Amino acid sequence: MARVFVYGTLKKGQPNYKHMINTAKGLAKFQGRGRTVEKYPLVIAGKYNIPYMLNIPGTGHHVAGEIYSVDDQMLQFLDEFEGCPDMYQRTLMSIEVVEWEGKGGVGEARAAAEGIVECFVYSTTTYPPEWVGLPYHDSYDSSGKHGLSYVLRESR
Protein backbone atom coordinates (compact mmCIF):
# COMPACT_ATOMS: atom_id res chain seq x y z
CA MET A 1 0.00 0.00 0.00
CA ALA A 2 1.17 3.53 -0.78
CA ARG A 3 0.22 6.72 1.01
CA VAL A 4 -1.35 9.51 -1.07
CA PHE A 5 -2.21 13.06 -0.01
CA VAL A 6 -5.14 14.62 -1.91
CA TYR A 7 -5.88 18.35 -1.66
CA GLY A 8 -8.40 19.03 -4.43
CA THR A 9 -11.35 17.42 -6.19
CA LEU A 10 -10.61 13.93 -4.79
CA LYS A 11 -11.29 14.93 -1.15
CA LYS A 12 -14.50 13.92 0.65
CA GLY A 13 -17.39 16.13 -0.42
CA GLN A 14 -15.64 17.24 -3.63
CA PRO A 15 -16.63 16.49 -7.26
CA ASN A 16 -14.22 13.57 -7.90
CA TYR A 17 -14.37 11.87 -4.48
CA LYS A 18 -16.55 9.18 -6.12
CA HIS A 19 -13.37 7.78 -7.70
CA MET A 20 -11.71 7.30 -4.30
CA ILE A 21 -14.54 5.06 -3.12
CA ASN A 22 -15.01 3.14 -6.39
CA THR A 23 -13.46 -0.23 -5.55
CA ALA A 24 -13.47 -1.17 -9.26
CA LYS A 25 -10.61 1.34 -9.59
CA GLY A 26 -8.76 -0.10 -6.59
CA LEU A 27 -8.72 0.43 -2.84
CA ALA A 28 -8.32 3.77 -1.09
CA LYS A 29 -8.59 3.85 2.68
CA PHE A 30 -8.99 7.21 4.44
CA GLN A 31 -6.26 7.61 7.07
CA GLY A 32 -6.67 11.16 8.25
CA ARG A 33 -6.26 14.84 7.52
CA GLY A 34 -3.02 16.69 7.07
CA ARG A 35 -1.24 19.64 5.57
CA THR A 36 2.00 20.09 3.71
CA VAL A 37 5.02 20.68 5.96
CA GLU A 38 6.42 23.11 3.40
CA LYS A 39 4.39 25.91 1.88
CA TYR A 40 3.19 25.56 -1.71
CA PRO A 41 1.04 27.69 -4.01
CA LEU A 42 -2.40 26.07 -4.48
CA VAL A 43 -4.13 27.79 -7.40
CA ILE A 44 -7.37 27.27 -9.30
CA ALA A 45 -6.58 27.58 -12.99
CA GLY A 46 -7.64 26.96 -16.55
CA LYS A 47 -11.06 27.06 -18.16
CA TYR A 48 -12.23 24.10 -16.04
CA ASN A 49 -11.20 25.64 -12.69
CA ILE A 50 -8.86 22.80 -11.75
CA PRO A 51 -6.91 23.01 -8.47
CA TYR A 52 -3.16 22.73 -8.93
CA MET A 53 -0.43 22.62 -6.32
CA LEU A 54 2.53 24.27 -8.02
CA ASN A 55 5.77 22.56 -7.05
CA ILE A 56 7.41 25.70 -5.70
CA PRO A 57 8.40 24.78 -2.11
CA GLY A 58 8.53 27.69 0.32
CA THR A 59 5.93 29.80 -1.52
CA GLY A 60 2.23 30.00 -0.71
CA HIS A 61 0.54 28.16 2.17
CA HIS A 62 0.63 24.91 4.11
CA VAL A 63 -1.94 23.13 1.92
CA ALA A 64 -4.65 21.14 3.71
CA GLY A 65 -5.90 17.78 2.46
CA GLU A 66 -6.58 14.13 3.19
CA ILE A 67 -4.26 11.16 3.59
CA TYR A 68 -5.19 7.81 2.04
CA SER A 69 -3.58 4.37 1.85
CA VAL A 70 -4.05 3.08 -1.68
CA ASP A 71 -3.26 -0.19 -3.40
CA ASP A 72 -1.26 -0.48 -6.64
CA GLN A 73 -4.42 -0.57 -8.76
CA MET A 74 -5.72 2.71 -7.28
CA LEU A 75 -2.28 4.33 -7.59
CA GLN A 76 -2.21 3.39 -11.28
CA PHE A 77 -5.75 4.81 -11.71
CA LEU A 78 -4.72 8.05 -9.96
CA ASP A 79 -1.65 8.37 -12.19
CA GLU A 80 -3.89 8.12 -15.25
CA PHE A 81 -6.63 10.34 -13.77
CA GLU A 82 -4.10 13.05 -12.87
CA GLY A 83 -2.45 12.94 -16.29
CA CYS A 84 0.85 11.88 -14.74
CA PRO A 85 3.56 12.78 -15.69
CA ASP A 86 2.43 15.47 -18.17
CA MET A 87 -0.18 17.49 -16.26
CA TYR A 88 0.83 16.51 -12.71
CA GLN A 89 3.89 14.75 -11.37
CA ARG A 90 3.64 12.32 -8.47
CA THR A 91 6.28 13.23 -5.90
CA LEU A 92 6.93 12.34 -2.26
CA MET A 93 6.23 15.15 0.20
CA SER A 94 6.23 15.45 3.97
CA ILE A 95 2.73 15.86 5.35
CA GLU A 96 1.96 17.02 8.88
CA VAL A 97 -0.79 14.89 10.42
CA VAL A 98 -3.61 17.05 11.78
CA GLU A 99 -6.06 14.25 12.57
CA TRP A 100 -5.37 10.50 12.30
CA GLU A 101 -7.95 7.73 11.96
CA GLY A 102 -5.67 5.21 10.30
CA LYS A 103 -5.42 1.72 11.64
CA GLY A 104 -2.38 -0.25 10.72
CA GLY A 105 0.82 -1.77 11.91
CA VAL A 106 3.43 -0.36 14.26
CA GLY A 107 4.93 1.74 11.45
CA GLU A 108 1.59 3.44 10.84
CA ALA A 109 1.07 4.22 14.51
CA ARG A 110 4.63 5.52 14.90
CA ALA A 111 4.34 7.77 11.83
CA ALA A 112 1.07 9.24 13.06
CA ALA A 113 2.44 9.75 16.57
CA GLU A 114 5.47 11.58 15.19
CA GLY A 115 3.09 13.85 13.32
CA ILE A 116 4.81 13.67 9.92
CA VAL A 117 4.18 11.12 7.16
CA GLU A 118 5.64 10.81 3.68
CA CYS A 119 2.95 10.78 1.00
CA PHE A 120 2.74 10.83 -2.74
CA VAL A 121 1.28 14.14 -3.90
CA TYR A 122 0.19 15.15 -7.39
CA SER A 123 1.73 18.58 -7.89
CA THR A 124 2.97 20.23 -11.06
CA THR A 125 6.09 21.80 -12.49
CA THR A 126 4.47 22.02 -15.95
CA TYR A 127 2.30 25.14 -15.74
CA PRO A 128 2.09 28.49 -17.54
CA PRO A 129 4.23 31.12 -15.75
CA GLU A 130 1.20 33.39 -15.18
CA TRP A 131 -0.29 30.83 -12.77
CA VAL A 132 2.27 31.95 -10.17
CA GLY A 133 0.35 35.26 -10.08
CA LEU A 134 -3.02 33.66 -9.31
CA PRO A 135 -4.46 33.81 -5.75
CA TYR A 136 -3.03 31.13 -3.44
CA HIS A 137 -5.34 29.00 -1.30
CA ASP A 138 -4.56 26.95 1.82
CA SER A 139 -7.52 24.64 1.28
CA TYR A 140 -9.65 23.70 -1.72
CA ASP A 141 -13.42 23.56 -1.97
CA SER A 142 -15.06 23.46 -5.42
CA SER A 143 -17.95 25.56 -4.14
CA GLY A 144 -15.76 27.91 -2.07
CA LYS A 145 -16.05 31.69 -1.88
CA HIS A 146 -13.57 31.99 -4.78
CA GLY A 147 -16.55 31.35 -7.11
CA LEU A 148 -14.52 29.06 -9.40
CA SER A 149 -16.60 25.88 -9.53
CA TYR A 150 -14.80 22.84 -10.94
CA VAL A 151 -16.09 21.61 -14.30
CA LEU A 152 -16.49 17.82 -14.31
CA ARG A 153 -14.81 15.94 -17.17
CA GLU A 154 -18.15 14.65 -18.39
CA SER A 155 -19.37 18.28 -18.72
CA ARG A 156 -16.41 19.55 -20.76
Side-chain angles (χ1 to χ4, degrees), residues 3 29-31 69 100-112:
R3 221 181 260 133
K29 188 174 155 216
F30 178 77
Q31 298 287 289
S69 285
W100 191 255
E101 291 182 13
K103 296 170 184 67
V106 175
E108 291 282 331
R110 189 180 312 116

Side-chain angles (χ1 to χ4, degrees), residues 19-156:
H19 299 302
M20 298 299 286
I21 56 174
N22 182 346
T23 54
K25 295 179 181 353
L27 297 176
K29 188 174 155 216
F30 178 77
Q31 298 287 289
R33 299 183 201 297
R35 62 185 205 142
T36 58
V37 169
E38 288 197 74
K39 293 179 176 182
Y40 290 92
L42 171 58
V43 300
I44 301 170
K47 61 182 177 179
Y48 303 121
N49 298 323
I50 296 171
Y52 294 92
M53 184 189 301
L54 308 183
N55 198 340
I56 310 173
T59 302
H61 301 287
H62 299 283
V63 176
E66 298 173 348
I67 302 163
Y68 288 84
S69 285
V70 301
D71 66 6
D72 289 342
Q73 183 184 349
M74 178 59 79
L75 194 61
Q76 185 177 347
F77 165 78
L78 291 171
D79 280 354
E80 291 167 16
F81 182 80
E82 299 290 11
C84 188
D86 301 325
M87 191 159 127
Y88 293 93
Q89 297 79 47
R90 176 166 44 97
T91 56
L92 273 174
M93 289 185 189
S94 295
I95 303 299
E96 177 187 356
V97 174
V98 174
E99 175 187 324
W100 191 255
E101 291 182 13
K103 296 170 184 67
V106 175
E108 291 282 331
R110 189 180 312 116
E114 290 169 4
I116 307 284
V117 293
E118 292 294 307
C119 297
F120 284 121
V121 180
Y122 292 91
S123 63
T124 186
T125 57
T126 53
Y127 54 86
E130 61 269 18
W131 287 9
V132 177
L134 294 171
Y136 298 164
H137 304 272
D138 61 356
S139 182
Y140 175 79
D141 183 343
S142 177
S143 54
K145 61 182 184 241
H146 49 71
L148 301 169
S149 293
Y150 174 79
V151 179
L152 286 166
R153 289 181 183 197
E154 46 270 27
S155 304
R156 296 179 192 169

